[in-house]
């Protein structure tokens, strides 16, 4: 985003506050009942009109956090506040439905195959008690806003392409005129050319509808293009949080640097290879490592990393990182290699 837009977003009041949120799931391994920690003490703030990008490998808790934010999952600990109002602990309320919407990864499975496009988009309005004439009018308007002719309201999902289906999902999310939209890998299932169209559409809709986004993706390039701030997650925890520009110019956490090193090079003569940081497998969330959860894959691991979990520190203004290397008592930031250029 532009510098002016970023400055305006920074001055806006918080629309979403995630304060120490924890989410666990019960599962069975053989005959034993176990607890899986999907999200562990995550705190984030998203200001009105801005976009928070959330990145990380599969299984890091991104989608679980997204479902907690929109009220599909109930947090086991902590709180989620929308425009200063805590989300209720019980059933998903009408206020949450009206003001927070979500666009899912798979554009086909997110739609009812037996419902027409118009029925799918208009259903949330019907539930809210809006009369049929207004439903038809708003459905036609939002279809035009997402780049589809109103005649598409009579089509069914199997008659549409993947990009068209995702436009329908976006239209359904916008028809209630929400304040916050959570996009969970909303472009990852699309072809690259279609991805670009949808990403640009989302940016246009953000201005038109005065939206705030939480944009979840594993594609660092798309996140950079979309986001004002970026949170990097690993095994349910935020390990780095800062402005998008600062993150892409100089990531601090070894895990973030590993993610950047895995981006394929566009130059066919300079293919990205496996580095020392890529060694090791992601630990099981059933038994996460003691102390720092990334220490089993980190080339800079120290004894203290196994003994004590790091906390978010701010070695740079408005740039937080959870790593013992930046702890004045134990750390040595000089050991962190510079971010490779030319990506």
């Amino acid at each position: 985003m532009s510098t002016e837009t970023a400055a305006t977003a920074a001055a806006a009041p918080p629309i979403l506050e995630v304060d120490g949120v924890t989410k666990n799931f019960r599962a069975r391994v053989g005959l034993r009942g176990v607890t899986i920690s999907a999200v562990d003490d995550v705190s984030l703030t998203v200001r009105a009109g801005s976009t928070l990008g959330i990145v990380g490998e599969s299984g890091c808790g991104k989608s679980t956090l997204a479902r907690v934010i929109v009220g599909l999952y109930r947090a086991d600990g902590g709180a989620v506040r929308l425009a200063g109002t805590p989300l209720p602990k019980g059933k998903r309320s009408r206020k949450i439905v009206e003001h927070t919407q979500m666009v899912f990864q798979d554009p086909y499975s997110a739609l009812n195959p037996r419902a027409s496009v118009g029925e799918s988009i208009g259903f949330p309005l019907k539930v809210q008690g809006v009369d049929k004439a207004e439903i038809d009018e708003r459905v036609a308007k939002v279809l035009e806003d997402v780049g589809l002719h109103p005649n598409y309201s009579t089509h069914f999902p199997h008659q549409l392409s993947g990009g068209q289906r995702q436009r329908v999902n976006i239209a359904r999310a916008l028809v209630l005129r929400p304040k916050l939209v959570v996009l969970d890998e909303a472009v990852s299932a699309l072809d690259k050319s279609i991805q670009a169209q949808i990403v640009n559409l989302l940016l246009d809709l953000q201005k038109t509808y005065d939206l705030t986004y939480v944009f979840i993706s594993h594609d660092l390039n798309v996140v950079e293009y979309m986001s004002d701030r970026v949170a990097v997650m690993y095994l349910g925890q935020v390990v780095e949080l800062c402005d998008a520009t600062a993150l892409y110019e100089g990531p601090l956490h070894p895990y973030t640097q590993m993610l950047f090193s895995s981006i394929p090079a566009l130059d066919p003569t300079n293919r990205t290879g496996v580095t020392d940081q890529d060694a090791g497998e992601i630990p099981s969330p059933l038994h996460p490592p003691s102390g720092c959860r990334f220490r089993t894959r980190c080339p800079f691991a120290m004894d203290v990393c196994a003994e004590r979990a790091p906390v978010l520190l701010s070695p740079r203004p408005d740039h937080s990182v959870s790593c013992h290397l930046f702890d004045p008592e134990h750390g040595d930031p000089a050991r962190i290699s510079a971010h490779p250029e030319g990506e």
Side-chain angles (χ1 to χ4, degrees), residues 128-150:
Q128 300 293 334
V130 179
D131 63 77
K132 187 178 185 305
E134 185 177 350
I135 290 176
D136 292 342
E137 180 181 344
R138 287 173 65 172
V139 167
K141 175 65 166 60
V142 77
L143 278 173
E144 289 183 333
D145 288 344
V146 299
L148 295 175
H149 193 278

Side-chain angles (χ1 to χ4, degrees), residues 107 152 156-167 190 194:
Y152 276 90
F156 287 83
H158 71 273
Q159 297 176 292
L160 306 177
S161 66
Q164 290 171 332
R165 291 175 193 146
Q166 198 62 303
R167 290 175 187 265
L190 306 176
I194 306 300

